[in-house]
Amino acid sequence: MVDHDPLPVASPNDVMPVSLRGRVLTLLLAFVQTALTSGIIFGWPAFEHILLEFHLYENYCAPGEVLPCNDQLSRMNIIFNVGVIMNTFSPVVAGVFLDHFGPRLTNLVSGLIFLMGCLAFVIACFTGIDLYAVGYGLLGFSGPGVYVSLFHLSNMFPHHIGLVISCFSGIFTISSFIFRVFRIIFEQGVQLHIIFVGFAILLLPLLIAGAFIWPKKSYVKQEVSPSSVSSEKTPLLPADDTPSGAEVTTSVSRASSSVRSSEALLEAAGLSSLSLFAQMKSPLYWLCTIWIVVLAFPGLFLSAAADTLFTRADEEYLADVFNWIWSLGFVFVPVMGVVMDRLGLKFSIFLVTTMMLVYCTLAPLMLLHPVVAIVAFIFASLGNVSIWSILYTYMGKVFGFKNFGKLLGVTSFVIAGSSFLLTPLFVLTLGKFEGNFAKSNAIIFLASLLSIGLPLYYAFFLYRQRKRLMSIDINN
């Protein structure tokens, strides 16, 4: 008989038994919070359409100039870039905050900042004060804090961690639907500030519920049998009770007896017990950072430029097609989660790298034929959802959760730095390239080739580790 315990109550030291029902309900609340906050800024095309109908920044256009004009679009693009930069920079702060204050407080503070973003838009609409970039920046900054504080919940399902983290990434994509819903409501005559007020009222009780449900300290994975995961109480430990690096020696013996297991090989390598600085010096870390930077940038640029690109090419319908395909990428999430759990992280990294390189190859050719553009959209959407699933799973499996927030924060800081290139590249495309996005995408393709380094080195690392352990096993 399955015990139906209440949802986990935060406790700094005690082991917390959680029933299957408790796990599922806790995870559902986490998914809803993530869907409403995490990736909302990436629904920019729909929100840009609202702002254009709101006649924002038309004063930047010369009298008689065709609307929207280049100066208006460039100025509006700054709003998006501020949101993206804050979104990618946020995990630096959220990660440190998470490591010091735990998931409950991180989630609550991030949610309150999100509500401040909604308030900034309400004030901007009412008063005419230009707080649009401020509001978008606050929405972008708060999103990562909400969902990064919830990743540890994947440890409630120790045999399906890859699937759960993939679901978080997919729901991040679903979040971009929010502004599409805003657009539908706005076109029915509802004023923008009323929409933001209603949205804040919807979100507030979810944040309050989380303040009572989320634990003070992150859950960590426990070694349990499959049957206990599905039907019995599984002890979940706060992060401070994680086994120390002294167990690396015993992990070597476990790995040598299960030499084909990538997780066992990583455990035997002892990377999770290293200091933060030692982990950051590892090629496994900085190659991963390069990988995510060069593969995230193509999707960011396409999101920012899609409407302008296809409108200027008299293929405006392709912008709508892209928006739908981009948002529907979450349907690939369960498949990616199963791939990671069944076929392993190494295969998943190779697969996702290939998908994004296919997109980067097709991107300069998108205007040749609509079919080429649609195929490129599909690869971009699937790849975008998957690279984040890979990043979070990779960081947890390779380096553990001791420094998870800090490592993810530093990586996000680098991503944020690369985001500063969005506006210059957009301006360069409209100016010197005379609206020729093929040239911009060709530059992005060349940069994306750097992503090959991670899958090759990761495969080599596992091969070398396997050989070392086999040698130890033979000598013993």
Side-chain angles (χ1 to χ4, degrees), residues 12-55:
N13 297 308
D14 297 336
V15 174
M16 293 175 283
V18 185
S19 69
L20 177 61
R21 185 184 71 173
R23 292 189 189 96
V24 171
L25 291 177
T26 301
L27 197 60
L28 284 177
L29 176 60
F31 285 166
V32 173
Q33 277 198 2
T34 301
L36 292 178
T37 60
S38 59
I40 184 173
I41 64 165
F42 295 102
W44 170 252
F47 193 62
E48 182 184 36
H49 185 85
I50 293 174
L51 296 180
L52 288 173
E53 291 191 11
F54 199 64
H55 306 292

Side-chain angles (χ1 to χ4, degrees), residues 258-418:
S258 179
V259 119
R260 293 185 178 181
S261 168
S262 294
E263 285 193 7
L265 294 174
L266 291 169
E267 185 181 0
L271 294 172
S272 61
S273 64
L274 297 177
S275 67
L276 173 64
F277 184 67
Q279 288 177 334
M280 290 178 60
K281 288 198 305 181
S282 167
L284 287 173
Y285 175 73
W286 53 262
L287 281 174
C288 176
T289 300
I290 293 172
W291 182 84
I292 190 66
V293 166
V294 298
L295 294 188
F297 191 86
L300 293 175
F301 184 72
L302 183 59
S303 296
D307 274 10
T308 303
L309 166 62
F310 297 113
T311 299
R312 286 171 174 260
D314 294 325
E315 302 282 0
E316 190 171 355
Y317 74 97
L318 283 176
D320 287 330
V321 172
F322 162 72
N323 291 336
W324 280 107
I325 292 177
W326 183 259
S327 299
L328 290 172
F330 73 90
V331 300
F332 186 65
V333 166
V335 178
M336 196 64 225
V338 171
V339 167
M340 281 196 287
D341 287 334
R342 298 291 178 87
L343 299 180
L345 187 58
K346 179 176 70 173
F347 177 84
S348 302
I349 293 173
F350 271 100
L351 176 63
V352 173
T353 303
T354 301
M355 285 194 296
M356 285 306 298
L357 287 177
V358 170
Y359 162 71
C360 290
T361 303
L362 294 175
L365 310 174
M366 285 190 295
L367 294 180
L368 293 180
H369 196 279
V371 173
V372 176
I374 292 172
V375 172
F377 296 161
I378 292 172
F379 276 100
S381 179
L382 299 185
N384 178 70
V385 170
S386 302
I387 57 175
W388 301 106
S389 299
I390 294 291
L391 175 65
Y392 305 136
T393 304
Y394 178 94
M395 288 293 187
K397 286 190 175 183
V398 175
F399 299 107
F401 284 90
K402 183 179 71 171
N403 296 315
F404 180 83
K406 297 183 184 73
L407 290 173
L408 189 60
V410 173
T411 298
S412 299
F413 183 81
V414 179
I415 298 172
S418 71

Side-chain angles (χ1 to χ4, degrees), residues 150-309:
L150 302 174
F151 282 157
H152 70 100
L153 298 178
S154 64
N155 288 314
M156 295 191 300
F157 301 88
H159 296 283
H160 302 286
I161 289 176
L163 177 59
V164 174
I165 292 180
S166 293
C167 287
F168 273 114
S169 296
I171 293 169
F172 180 97
T173 304
I174 293 176
S175 185
S176 66
F177 269 110
I178 298 297
F179 281 144
R180 184 171 290 277
V181 176
F182 274 36
R183 177 177 173 179
I184 293 172
I185 298 173
F186 182 79
E187 290 175 346
Q188 299 304 310
V190 181
Q191 295 182 357
L192 185 57
H193 69 276
I194 298 297
I195 299 175
F196 271 106
V197 169
F199 185 54
I201 292 173
L202 172 66
L203 184 61
L204 186 59
L206 296 174
L207 295 175
I208 294 173
F212 287 98
I213 293 173
W214 308 139
K216 291 181 179 178
K217 296 184 179 181
S218 301
Y219 295 152
V220 295
K221 181 181 177 182
Q222 299 299 297
E223 297 298 330
V224 294
S225 64
S227 60
S228 68
V229 171
S230 60
S231 61
E232 300 294 337
K233 295 178 181 180
T234 302
L236 297 172
L237 298 179
D240 285 1
D241 295 327
T242 308
S244 68
E247 296 189 359
V248 171
T249 302
T250 58
S251 69
V252 170
S253 62
R254 285 199 299 269
S256 61
S257 64
S258 179
V259 119
R260 293 185 178 181
S261 168
S262 294
E263 285 193 7
L265 294 174
L266 291 169
E267 185 181 0
L271 294 172
S272 61
S273 64
L274 297 177
S275 67
L276 173 64
F277 184 67
Q279 288 177 334
M280 290 178 60
K281 288 198 305 181
S282 167
L284 287 173
Y285 175 73
W286 53 262
L287 281 174
C288 176
T289 300
I290 293 172
W291 182 84
I292 190 66
V293 166
V294 298
L295 294 188
F297 191 86
L300 293 175
F301 184 72
L302 183 59
S303 296
D307 274 10
T308 303
L309 166 62

Side-chain angles (χ1 to χ4, degrees), residues 394-448:
Y394 178 94
M395 288 293 187
K397 286 190 175 183
V398 175
F399 299 107
F401 284 90
K402 183 179 71 171
N403 296 315
F404 180 83
K406 297 183 184 73
L407 290 173
L408 189 60
V410 173
T411 298
S412 299
F413 183 81
V414 179
I415 298 172
S418 71
S419 300
F420 279 102
L421 298 175
L422 284 171
T423 295
L425 186 59
F426 189 80
V427 172
L428 180 67
T429 304
L430 293 180
K432 189 169 183 178
F433 292 167
E434 298 179 344
N436 188 345
F437 281 83
K439 294 180 180 179
S440 304
N441 283 317
I443 295 173
I444 292 173
F445 166 74
L446 293 175
S448 71

Side-chain angles (χ1 to χ4, degrees), residues 127-156:
T127 65
I129 300 174
D130 189 359
L131 294 176
Y132 297 99
V134 173
Y136 216 71
L138 290 172
L139 297 182
F141 183 82
S142 56
V146 172
Y147 74 89
V148 166
S149 70
L150 302 174
F151 282 157
H152 70 100
L153 298 178
S154 64
N155 288 314
M156 295 191 300

